């Protein structure tokens, strides 16, 4: 049994690991580069990092593509001149956070950007959020993966409405379908009163597109408002939890089929 790592940009296969060498417990690494491929774990200044140090994984060698078709900006951002072997062509910036183990194998730790993978398809959640915020009734939005019915991951959009009118799921889906591929359209839409933010204004608790601190999100009920717990502060309502379908109208979507009204949502922080 082999664990093979790669992407379309590097001809699908770049590294491999023989899983029979793995101890009974432990994370499966992506291994070492295949023939005619070189891998680099680089720091912010494109400096090679020693084992144990986290950096971005880059791939070079015979399998690296020339770029993205008619997307010069995307090509320039992802396909870089090889600073270590100028005659070897370009290296591909994978966007994966990785490190070398002491034994020389590479371990992938997650994503540097907020790209997620659902059903084998890479999805840029920031592009979905930007498109949602172009809707006249959406002030801001956050998109991420969440465990859905039967334990399967689903793409979920949390939207702060511009006014008391929260746009419905069907309306948002039509809005996104004008610009985005079908696989990028979230299956659930949850209206919230606010999103938790740091002092810098960045939304907290999001890592690689998968929110973690769900208890900070507000549940948006018709006619319900957050109450203040201290002067000048705004306390979010209680955590998202099991609710009746009537309390979350945007989750009762025809696309969920007969299972829709019976779905038990698990919002464990």
């Amino acid at each position: 049994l082999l664990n093979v790592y790669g992407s379309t940009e590097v001809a699908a296969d770049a590294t491999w690991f023989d899983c029979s060498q793995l101890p009974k417990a432990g994370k499966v690494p992506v291994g070492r580069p295949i023939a005619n491929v070189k891998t680099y774990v680089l720091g912010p200044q494109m400096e090679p990092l020693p084992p144990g140090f986290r950096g971005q994984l880059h791939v070079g060698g015979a399998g690296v593509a020339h770029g993205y078709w008619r997307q010069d900006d995307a090509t320039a951002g992802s396909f870089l001149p090889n600073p270590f072997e100028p005659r070897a062509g370009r290296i591909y910036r994978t966007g994966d956070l990785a490190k070398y183990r002491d034994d020389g194998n590479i371990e992938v730790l997650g994503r540097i950007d907020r790209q997620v993978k659902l059903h084998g398809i890479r999805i840029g959640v920031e592009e979905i959020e930007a498109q949602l915020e172009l809707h006249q009734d959406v002030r801001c939005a956050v998109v991420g993966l969440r465990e859905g019915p039967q334990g399967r991951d689903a793409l979920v959009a949390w939207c702060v409405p511009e006014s008391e009118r929260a746009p419905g799921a069907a309306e948002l889906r039509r809005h996104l379908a004008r610009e985005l591929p079908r696989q990028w359209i979230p299956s659930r839409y949850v209206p919230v009163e606010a999103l938790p933010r740091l002092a810098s204004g960045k939304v907290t608790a999001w890592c690689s597109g998968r929110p973690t601190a769900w208890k900070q999100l507000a549940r948006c009920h018709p006619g319900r408002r957050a109450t203040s717990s201290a002067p000048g502060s705004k306390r979010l309502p209680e955590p998202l939890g099991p609710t009746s379908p009537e309390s979350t109208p945007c989750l009762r979507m025809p696309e969920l089929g007969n299972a829709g009204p019976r779905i038990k949502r698990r919002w464990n922080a």
Side-chain angles (χ1 to χ4, degrees):
L1 178 64
L2 302 179
N3 182 31
V4 180
Y5 166 88
S7 65
T8 305
E9 291 87 348
V10 294
D13 301 338
T15 69
W16 69 282
F17 178 78
D18 184 355
C19 295
S20 65
Q21 303 175 10
L22 188 72
K24 292 183 178 180
K27 185 175 180 180
V28 180
V30 297
R32 303 169 184 267
I34 64 175
N36 297 324
V37 171
K38 290 192 175 182
T39 54
Y40 310 88
V41 177
L42 305 179
Q45 306 301 321
M46 297 292 288
E47 72 278 13
L49 298 177
F53 285 76
R54 301 182 176 193
Q56 184 169 183
L57 180 60
H58 295 67
V59 177
V64 177
H66 293 292
Y68 298 112
W69 176 252
R70 294 182 177 177
Q71 298 184 47
D72 294 340
D73 291 342
T75 296
S78 297
F79 295 87
L80 313 174
N82 192 327
F84 312 106
E85 299 181 59
R87 296 183 179 180
R90 290 184 288 185
I91 57 176
Y92 170 63
R93 188 200 307 263
T94 67
D96 287 329
L97 185 67
K99 68 176 182 180
Y100 277 109
R101 291 184 172 183
D102 292 335
D103 60 5
N105 286 305
I106 299 169
E107 180 180 339
V108 173
L109 306 170
R111 292 290 300 177
I112 290 178
D113 55 22
R114 293 184 53 223
Q115 188 180 92
V116 300
K117 182 174 284 189
L118 182 64
H119 307 312
I121 298 173
R122 288 181 288 173
I123 298 173
V125 295
E126 291 175 330
E127 296 183 46
I128 304 173
E129 292 167 357
Q131 192 62 31
L132 281 169
E133 291 172 3
L134 291 177
H135 191 284
Q136 60 181 0
D137 293 320
V138 176
R139 180 180 305 169
C140 58
V142 169
V143 176
L145 290 180
R146 190 60 178 164
E147 185 177 315
Q150 303 174 350
R152 298 178 181 177
D153 279 344
L155 199 61
V156 183
W158 286 262
C159 303
V160 178
E162 189 66 50
S163 61
E164 292 186 1
R165 177 189 177 274
E171 180 181 347
L172 292 175
R173 183 171 283 103
R174 287 193 299 269
H175 170 75
L176 294 176
R178 299 189 187 104
E179 299 293 336
L180 301 177
R182 176 176 56 84
Q183 296 87 346
W184 284 38
I185 298 177
S187 58
R188 306 183 192 178
Y189 300 81
V190 183
V192 295
E193 293 182 357
L195 297 173
R197 295 180 181 273
L198 299 171
S200 63
K202 293 183 178 180
V203 177
T204 64
W206 267 265
C207 179
S208 300
R210 184 183 292 273
T212 55
W214 302 108
K215 61 184 180 181
Q216 300 183 62
L217 290 176
R219 188 169 68 230
C220 185
H221 294 273
R224 178 174 179 156
R225 296 292 179 269
T227 58
S228 297
S229 57
S233 67
K234 184 177 181 180
R235 184 180 65 82
L236 296 178
E238 71 267 11
L240 284 166
T243 59
S244 65
E246 288 74 23
S247 64
T248 51
C250 283
L251 290 180
R252 296 192 296 149
M253 298 180 291
E255 290 80 354
L256 291 176
N258 295 331
R262 299 194 301 271
I263 288 174
K264 294 181 179 179
R265 297 184 299 122
R266 291 179 290 176
W267 304 96
N268 299 324

